[in-house]
Amino acid sequence: AKESGRGRWSFFSPEMNRKLMERRALEADLRKALSEGQFRLAYQPQLDLKTKRVTGAEALLRWQRPGYGNVSPDSFIGLAEEVGLIAQIGNWALQEACRQAVTWPGHLRVAVNVSAVQFRLPGLYESVAAALATSGLHPGRLELEITEGVLLSDTVETLVMLERLRSLGVKIAMDDFGTGYSSLGYLQKFRFDKIKIDRSFVRHLGENIDAEAIVRAVVGMSRTLGIRSNAEGVESQEQADLLASEGCMEVQGYLFGKPMTADDFAEFLKVGG
Ligand code: C2E
Ligand code: CA
Ligand code: CA
Ligand code: CA
């Protein structure tokens, strides 16, 4: 505690106070965002690296916060988890992604992010089932991206939940592979449909021998296990070429397409899909 003016004690420095106020304002705005329709989904194309055909898109949350413009999900997903809003937001994203994907050509998938906190809350299975039923989307066209954080609480319940979700017919992808702990062990416990190699490895391809070795190992292992590999954050042709030579199956990144509005994605499909 610090002694402030007139002999009163205050626990917060002006800097801490400012941060706390900002956080409260963010939380208040976040609570209104859903009902006021301020969320959108952006779609980033995923392509088969060999054929260059679009295989689907990852749905990425966007928030038009009044007075702030477009706010990055990294800056509010954590807070949404803390204050109990993630289930509602995640449910909205599932509904919206399925509703839009059903208008795409039938061979395309949509990938939706599911946070670790959201995964553990009751109602995820029901949310996914409801989004499929409401939209009429074929379950095989929905992919759920989960992070290693989901598997950290290494319980039977986690695996049972993954199997229940899969019993709906949806695909399960491991997101940000390589950034968490003991990733390899998880691959033995649950048969993922896809492994997404984190951008932090892809970024150093061509400049860093270690990055190349890691990517090669992950791609090789995926192949052996019969799991699709996806490399995220591909920005240069050199990276794409290296990934192709390692046998990586799918790519996603600014080189091929940035996250875009649903309308722009429909246009993107007409032109190049
Ligand atoms: P993520 O799931 O790893 O998503 C990939 C992020 O990398 C996205 O950032 C995407 O815009 C960005 N990205 C893609 N290609 C490139 C590239 O070539 N270069 C660079 N520099 N960046 C690239 P974004 O959209 O800001 O999302 C950040 C994170 O927020 C996501 O990381 C995900 O963890 C979370 N997120 C986004 N939407 C949702 C959602 O609906 N639900 C949940 N729970 N989390 C979400
Ligand atoms: Ca993701
Ligand atoms: Ca990722
Ligand atoms: Ca990430």
Side-chain angles (χ1 to χ4, degrees):
K2 273 173 69 177
E3 196 176 5
S4 62
R6 284 170 287 155
R8 279 181 295 130
W9 292 85
S10 130
F11 286 97
F12 300 116
S13 68
E15 170 65 6
M16 283 166 79
N17 241 321
R18 193 183 54 78
K19 286 219 171 107
L20 199 69
M21 302 276 280
E22 270 175 18
R23 210 183 116 96
R24 288 215 180 112
L26 180 68
E27 181 183 337
D29 284 358
L30 198 54
R31 288 193 183 279
K32 286 185 292 190
L34 255 187
S35 60
E36 307 210 338
Q38 293 165 3
F39 289 120
R40 293 284 179 280
L41 289 179
Y43 295 92
Q44 184 175 36
Q46 300 179 325
L47 294 88
D48 183 289
L49 184 51
K50 250 198 204 130
T51 64
K52 297 292 173 338
R53 290 269 174 88
V54 179
T55 55
E58 177 176 3
L60 294 156
L61 198 59
R62 296 291 177 263
W63 177 23
Q64 285 295 136
R65 184 182 179 197
Y68 292 81
N70 212 328
V71 183
S72 156
D74 278 327
S75 66
F76 66 84
I77 292 286
L79 184 66
E81 291 180 331
E82 279 174 47
V83 302
L85 290 169
I86 193 63
Q88 277 168 273
I89 296 173
N91 190 32
W92 177 85
L94 278 166
Q95 292 276 349
E96 180 75 355
C98 290
R99 185 181 74 79
Q100 285 174 331
V102 84
T103 69
W104 305 344
H107 64 286
L108 299 183
R109 280 196 193 126
V110 68
V112 178
N113 290 283
V114 175
S115 91
V117 170
Q118 184 189 353
F119 188 90
R120 269 178 241 118
L121 292 172
L124 177 64
Y125 174 88
E126 289 76 11
S127 280
V128 173
L132 291 169
T134 310
S135 62
L137 185 75
H138 184 278
R141 299 180 60 195
L142 175 63
E143 188 165 78
L144 302 177
E145 293 195 3
I146 66 161
T147 57
E148 291 162 285
V150 166
L151 296 159
L152 262 185
S153 59
D154 185 13
T155 58
V156 177
E157 284 78 25
T158 307
L159 296 177
V160 168
M161 185 58 179
L162 284 168
E163 294 296 355
R164 278 185 78 208
L165 289 167
R166 174 167 286 154
S167 74
L168 286 169
V170 304
K171 308 286 178 196
I172 313 277
M174 158 122 296
D175 201 0
D176 301 346
F177 186 76
T179 58
Y181 308 93
S182 65
S183 316
L184 291 173
Y186 298 140
L187 296 181
Q188 219 182 19
K189 295 208 176 91
F190 184 77
R191 185 52 61 95
F192 289 91
D193 299 286
K194 185 184 284 182
I195 292 177
K196 300 189 74 178
I197 304 169
D198 193 67
R199 184 161 66 87
S200 56
F201 302 111
V202 176
R203 187 169 37 206
H204 297 296
L205 279 179
E207 31 176 85
N208 179 327
I209 300 279
D210 293 344
E212 223 171 307
I214 288 170
V215 168
R216 181 179 308 135
V218 176
V219 168
M221 184 190 58
S222 311
R223 189 171 289 278
T224 307
L225 294 172
I227 305 173
R228 278 185 75 75
S229 50
N230 167 302
E232 295 191 274
V234 182
E235 294 184 352
S236 73
Q237 190 57 51
E238 190 190 6
Q239 290 166 347
D241 292 342
L242 278 164
L243 287 162
S245 72
E246 302 300 355
C248 182
M249 294 178 183
E250 192 182 283
V251 278
Q252 184 181 341
Y254 293 173
L255 179 66
F256 305 98
K258 289 194 172 180
M260 53 188 94
T261 65
D263 286 348
D264 287 348
F265 182 64
E267 197 57 35
F268 181 91
L269 290 174
K270 273 191 218 152
V271 177

